[in-house]
Amino acid sequence: MLGGTFDPVHLGHLRSAVEIREALGLDRVHMIPAAQPPLRGEPHITPEQRLALLRLGIGDTPGLIADARELERQGPSYSADTLVALRRECGPEARLVMALGHDAFLRLADWHAPERLFSLAHLVVVDRPDHDAALPAALAALIDGREASSVEALMREPAGGLLRLRLPSRMAISATEVRQRLVAGDSVRYLLPEAVEERIHAAGLYRR
Ligand code: ATP
């Protein structure tokens, strides 16, 4: 599972999803837009628009899935609820992984039911340029004793571990920067898949 606001999806998300899948040997990566992200302000476009851009961005990429399940629930989009549903589908033996960037990881202790996440899945933390702050004490306590030294060690169990991954591409792209460029009328070429860029321009999204 790679959750996010995807406001809008960009090549940092998509390339990370491909590289996470390869690094961990995963069957598939569910990219799941949060309908109502609990810890941040209202996204700039609707959940349906963000999902449509995600679908366009993924296109026919093998192993990546635009998963709409959080749009079908009411209330805040808690990852713990999403993992419960994925675990039910995959069964108790499957290795289930929640991947997130280091910036999102730094706030993990503030999430809804953070200990519960580890009973449902492994956490894989992806390095992100410009996001290398030290861990807050509550987070250090939360992950104490969970860190695995390798993919093989992590994947021996179905859930409960933590692995830090440095992906080959490490793209310094953020949705914030993409939105700022769109508002300013600057180019977003090669930050987004072309189909996503075209749809944004055609529909007049992210204009002030
Ligand atoms: P914003 O700038 O609006 O905060 P964002 O670019 O961080 O957005 P999100 O939708 O919040 O995008 O991110 C979803 C997940 O993808 C998070 O776990 C985030 O850390 C991760 N992520 C986002 N961009 C990158 C990137 N360039 N490289 C690796 N991981 C990323």
Side-chain angles (χ1 to χ4, degrees):
M1 157 179 166
L2 176 61
T5 312
F6 302 120
D7 188 21
V9 67
H10 53 68
L11 290 177
H13 298 128
L14 291 160
R15 186 65 207 165
S16 296
V18 167
E19 291 181 2
I20 288 166
R21 178 169 179 250
E22 282 179 349
L24 301 176
L26 302 173
D27 294 333
R28 52 190 190 275
V29 176
H30 291 246
M31 299 183 73
I32 311 185
Q36 233 178 282
L39 290 179
R40 52 192 287 161
E42 188 76 10
H44 297 74
I45 59 173
T46 67
E48 291 72 22
Q49 288 170 324
R50 289 183 282 119
L51 175 66
L53 294 179
L54 179 61
R55 286 197 171 122
L56 279 173
I58 290 178
D60 60 1
T61 311
L64 301 196
I65 295 172
D67 185 327
R69 71 185 68 222
E70 292 189 0
L71 273 61
E72 288 147 19
R73 293 203 308 258
Q74 301 301 313
S77 307
Y78 294 130
S79 294
D81 295 340
T82 307
L83 289 175
V84 167
L86 286 168
R87 174 57 74 196
R88 202 178 301 128
E89 286 168 26
C90 300
E93 305 296 320
R95 276 81 49 94
L96 188 55
V97 169
M98 179 175 106
L100 73 180
H102 189 75
D103 57 308
F105 175 60
L106 287 173
R107 300 183 66 189
L108 188 76
D110 301 331
W111 288 27
H112 174 71
E115 329 70 33
R116 192 133 172 266
L117 301 170
F118 285 104
S119 67
L120 293 160
H122 292 304
L123 252 71
V124 167
V125 181
V126 173
D127 239 22
R128 210 177 152 183
D130 309 324
H131 293 281
D132 49 9
L135 304 195
L139 179 58
L142 184 69
I143 64 168
D144 189 35
R146 297 195 176 277
E147 211 153 335
S149 55
S150 66
V151 172
E152 294 69 33
L154 185 80
M155 292 307 222
R156 273 185 215 122
E157 301 292 334
L162 175 92
L163 185 73
R164 291 162 198 267
L165 262 191
R166 191 181 177 105
L167 298 176
S169 71
R170 293 185 87 238
M171 288 188 178
I173 304 177
S174 74
T176 303
E177 184 205 346
V178 169
R179 291 192 302 272
Q180 285 167 352
R181 293 188 145 270
L182 288 165
V183 168
D186 292 338
S187 171
V188 291
R189 184 60 53 92
Y190 308 128
L191 298 176
L192 311 171
E194 241 170 85
V196 174
E197 181 186 347
E198 277 166 20
R199 173 70 61 87
I200 286 174
H201 290 316
L205 304 176
Y206 298 107
R207 291 207 191 127
R208 210 190 282 281

